[in-house]
């Protein structure tokens, strides 16, 4: 846990101290039809195609010295005089990298044009651009639809660029420094042998709890699901105005099932027993996980738990109305520790609990940047992707700029970064990221995942048993592939 000085330094760097709780929520993955939380709030940019590279630097001083890239055996200037269009979500990563864009432009002679939109609006424009072959975006944000785009032939594999000695230098880029979970998700979540993009941010699930309540009631940090439930029970029953826990109950493949998928994997099961003919959603481990999560929220969660979004969960915790939650570390930490949070001085972080005999298997979500088959400047786009995710750029984003979401292990081990965010936060996040297993987004995951989330919402609301809900979810997933 950072001391007060470190915490405020971190918040100032993260840009959340003066903007309130909700500002820190921008960019957390939602996905699916989760109601009103469409991802259009917060983040960077003006929601339009601004055509600019950002303010960049003071005078002629670049944010990152060009000498940081001298060791790369890459022809940085081979596309001098050209330009690229980047399609981006309003997201903290855009805020973090924009001041360094003049570094890339000076290094390569390539002009960067931004097209920044709210998340749902961006998704619509991205699909239109890719599916029609317009090729407006040379680089674009990619998420859960990666395998849909790949199967449709809209994505361009990056492997030819990795094999081009003028564009790529392995000794400089250090791909093995990227978390395994990030590399895996940048290969279509295990469905592709090729690079589908390069990862830019990662969110990993952790546990947040209130030390004051734990001290008051003599509670220990939960290492198992049962302990987590027991702690929630004590707080719920002993505190008149505080619920034991809160969690995403709202439908949406980035909502309730994003949490449940961690629990079911820790039970040793998976979304598919045999892809795509035999869904794993009706197996005993999934049913037990769904029953545990549903009962936890029914018994010790807030009223209307089945409609809570990720932002509702954070607000409930930050306003001091919950004892503990399971949520994304880097997307929630700022909002729980800023000056507008009533739990700033007592909130602590720990790894997610596991079932008895289970293993830590926290869910993690990576945004990546990709290019399409019809993009006009994919080579230039790859050079940008490589530069943006390279060790010197990523380190600067997360130590000198506002980033707190590095996909590189070396950053999480960096003393300056750990001083910025706090030792406990850094170490818990690092260990969780090392053990993380992101959701494998098969090509129809957005479609059947939405239906799966609707069934889970019914179970949380008490409209169905967990077994009935998961049996229906499994049947639906199989039908979508067989239809």
């Amino acid at each position: 846990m950072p001391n007060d000085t470190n915490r405020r330094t971190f918040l100032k760097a993260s840009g959340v101290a003066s903007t309130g709780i909700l500002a820190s929520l921008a960019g957390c993955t939602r996905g699916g039809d989760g109601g009103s939380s469409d991802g259009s709030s917060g983040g960077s940019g003006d929601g339009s195609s601004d055509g600019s590279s950002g303010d960049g630097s003071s005078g002629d001083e670049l944010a990152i010295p060009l000498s940081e890239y001298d060791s790369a055996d890459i022809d940085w200037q081979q596309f001098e005089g050209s330009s690229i269009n980047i399609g981006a979500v309003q997201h903290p990563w855009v805020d973090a990298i924009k001041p360094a864009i003049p570094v890339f432009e000076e290094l390569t002679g390539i002009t960067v044009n931004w097209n920044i939109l709210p998340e749902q609006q961006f998704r619509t424009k991205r699909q239109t651009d890719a599916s029609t072959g317009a090729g407006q975006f040379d680089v674009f944000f990619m998420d859960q639809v990666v395998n849909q785009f790949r199967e449709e032939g809209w994505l361009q594999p990056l492997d030819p660029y990795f094999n081009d000695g003028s564009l790529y230098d392995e000794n400089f880029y250090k791909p093995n420094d990227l978390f395994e979970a990030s590399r895996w998700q940048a290969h279509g979540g295990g469905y592709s042998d090729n690079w589908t993009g390069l990862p830019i941010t990662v969110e990993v699930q952790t546990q947040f709890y209130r030390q004051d309540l734990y001290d008051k009631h003599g509670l220990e940090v939960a290492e198992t699901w049962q302990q987590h439930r027991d702690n929630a029970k004590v707080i719920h029953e002993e505190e008149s105005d505080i619920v034991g826990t809160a969690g995403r109950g709202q439908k949406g493949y980035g909502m309730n099932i994003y949490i449940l998928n961690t629990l079911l994997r820790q039970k040793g099961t998976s979304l598919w027993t045999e892809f795509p003919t035999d869904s794993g959603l009706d197996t005993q481990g999934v049913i037990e996980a769904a029953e545990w999560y549903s009962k936890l929220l029914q018994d010790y969660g807030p009223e209307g738990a089945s409609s809570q979004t990720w932002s509702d969960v954070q607000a409930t915790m930050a306003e001091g109305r919950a004892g503990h939650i399971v949520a994304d570390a880097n997307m929630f930490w700022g909002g729980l520790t800023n000056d507008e949070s009533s739990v700033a001085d007592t909130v602590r972080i720990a790894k997610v609990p596991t079932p008895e005999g289970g293993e830590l298997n926290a869910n993690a979500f990576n945004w990546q940047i990709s290019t399409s088959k019809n993009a006009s400047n994919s080579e230039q786009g790859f050079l940008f992707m490589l530069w943006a995710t390279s060790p010197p750029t990523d380190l600067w984003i997360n130590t000198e700029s506002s980033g707190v979401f590095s996909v590189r292990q070396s950053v999480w081990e960096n003393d300056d970064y750990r001083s910025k965010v706090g030792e406990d936060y850094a170490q818990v996040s690092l260990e969780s990221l090392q053990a993380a297993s992101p959701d494998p987004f098969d090509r129809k995951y957005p479609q059947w995942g939405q239906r799966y989330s609707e069934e889970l919402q019914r179970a949380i609301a008490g409209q169905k048993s967990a077994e009935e809900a998961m049996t229906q979810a499994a049947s639906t997933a199989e039908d979508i592939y067989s239809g």
Side-chain angles (χ1 to χ4, degrees):
M1 180 70 182
N3 61 35
D4 214 44
T5 301
N6 282 344
R7 182 172 67 81
R8 279 161 172 60
T9 300
F10 162 53
L11 293 169
K12 182 178 180 181
S14 300
V16 299
S18 62
T19 55
I21 293 170
L22 291 180
S24 69
L25 302 175
C28 192
T29 177
R30 267 77 66 187
D33 180 11
S36 61
S37 180
D38 66 357
S40 61
S41 63
S44 63
D46 56 7
S48 64
S49 177
D50 63 18
S52 68
S53 60
D55 52 18
S57 57
S58 174
D60 294 327
E61 184 179 350
L62 294 171
I64 310 171
L66 294 182
S67 59
E68 291 291 323
Y69 306 95
D70 286 349
S71 65
D73 187 15
I74 294 172
D75 183 0
W76 292 111
Q77 289 281 322
Q78 59 187 297
F79 303 112
E80 183 181 9
S82 61
S83 64
I84 56 172
N85 293 319
I86 301 176
V89 171
Q90 288 180 341
H91 191 282
W93 183 82
V94 179
D95 278 338
I97 198 171
K98 261 197 167 186
I101 293 301
V103 178
F104 174 77
E105 293 180 324
E106 181 72 17
L107 181 68
T108 65
I110 300 170
T111 301
V112 176
N113 300 307
W114 289 98
N115 303 267
I116 305 168
L117 295 167
E119 190 165 323
Q120 295 299 85
Q121 188 177 344
F122 166 76
R123 282 179 167 144
T124 299
K125 187 167 184 178
R126 176 185 61 189
Q127 179 149 343
T128 300
D129 181 65
S131 64
T132 62
Q136 175 189 352
F137 299 143
D138 301 302
V139 176
F140 52 76
F141 272 45
M142 179 51 60
D143 51 2
Q144 292 99 330
V145 297
V146 58
N147 284 305
Q148 175 192 351
F149 275 53
R150 184 180 61 82
E151 289 282 338
E152 293 290 348
W154 300 337
L155 276 189
Q156 186 168 168
L158 301 185
D159 295 69
Y161 305 128
F162 277 97
N163 294 326
D164 186 334
S166 71
L167 291 170
Y168 179 69
D169 178 358
E170 182 174 357
N171 291 330
F172 166 75
Y173 189 70
K174 297 179 173 57
N176 291 332
D177 184 37
L178 300 170
F179 286 109
E180 182 180 355
S182 298
R183 297 197 309 272
W184 186 78
Q185 206 155 357
H187 283 75
Y191 285 96
S192 174
D193 293 331
N194 298 318
W195 289 87
T196 54
L198 292 181
I200 54 174
T201 68
V202 63
E203 303 161 23
V204 66
Q205 287 176 6
T206 54
Q207 182 180 188
F208 296 99
Y209 64 97
R210 285 181 53 179
Q211 188 68 60
D212 59 334
L213 295 179
Y214 274 43
D215 290 343
K216 179 179 179 181
H217 299 292
L219 304 177
E220 298 291 333
V221 177
E223 295 182 359
T224 68
W225 293 5
Q226 186 59 49
Q227 291 170 339
H228 186 87
R229 180 180 172 86
D230 291 344
N231 288 351
K233 181 177 187 293
V234 170
I235 294 170
H236 197 84
E237 293 179 350
E238 297 295 329
E239 299 289 337
S240 61
D241 57 349
I242 299 174
V243 295
T245 191
R248 304 184 199 195
Q250 177 65 277
K251 64 184 177 181
Y253 56 78
M255 290 289 183
N256 53 21
I257 62 174
Y258 178 62
I259 304 297
L260 186 65
N261 288 348
T262 287
L263 308 182
L264 68 88
R265 282 201 299 270
Q266 292 185 155
K267 291 287 288 184
T269 189
S270 59
L271 297 175
W272 289 97
T273 302
E274 185 67 37
F275 177 77
T277 57
D278 186 9
S279 171
L281 296 179
D282 56 359
T283 57
Q284 190 60 34
V286 175
I287 292 171
E288 289 176 1
E291 182 174 18
W292 182 86
Y293 189 56
S294 298
K295 288 291 289 179
L296 178 73
L297 296 184
Q298 289 168 8
D299 294 345
Y300 308 123
E303 290 290 331
S306 65
S307 64
Q308 278 217 315
T309 65
W310 55 271
S311 56
D312 296 324
V313 172
Q314 175 153 354
T316 301
M317 186 72 178
E319 292 167 5
R321 296 186 286 113
H324 55 209
I325 59 174
V326 170
D328 305 290
N330 54 325
M331 300 312 297
F332 277 56
W333 184 245
L336 295 179
T337 58
N338 70 18
D339 291 334
E340 296 188 21
S341 169
S342 65
V343 299
D345 294 326
T346 189
V347 69
R348 302 292 188 269
I349 188 171
K351 287 177 280 191
V352 293
T354 62
E356 294 288 349
E359 295 183 358
L360 178 66
N361 206 239
N363 208 345
F365 172 77
N366 290 261
W367 277 106
Q368 57 182 287
I369 45 178
S370 304
T371 187
S372 73
K373 285 283 183 68
N374 294 296
S376 301
N377 298 301
S378 289
E379 289 178 304
Q380 293 93 321
F382 176 79
L383 208 58
F384 173 83
M385 289 185 250
L386 186 85
W387 169 83
T389 61
S390 68
T393 308
D394 190 70
L395 180 62
W396 181 88
I397 287 173
N398 291 284
T399 56
E400 302 298 327
S401 191
S402 56
V404 290
F405 32 62
S406 177
V407 295
R408 289 186 172 274
Q409 180 162 304
S410 60
V411 172
W412 289 92
E413 295 172 339
N414 180 274
D415 289 342
D416 289 339
Y417 182 72
R418 295 173 80 90
S419 177
K420 170 183 171 180
V421 301
E423 285 290 333
D424 284 354
Y425 169 82
Q427 190 60 32
V428 168
S429 298
L430 174 60
E431 292 178 12
S432 298
L433 284 164
Q434 289 170 332
S437 295
D439 289 336
F441 302 129
D442 61 72
R443 64 185 183 275
K444 294 187 178 182
Y445 181 81
Q447 185 179 352
W448 67 259
Q450 179 67 28
R451 300 289 296 279
Y452 160 35
S453 74
E454 292 167 1
E455 290 297 325
L456 178 59
Q457 185 180 38
R458 294 185 180 102
I460 295 170
Q463 298 168 358
K464 282 186 172 183
S465 70
E467 184 172 6
E468 290 173 325
M470 292 303 98
T471 299
Q472 181 59 53
S475 177
T476 299
E478 292 165 359
D479 289 346
I480 285 173
Y481 268 105
S482 64

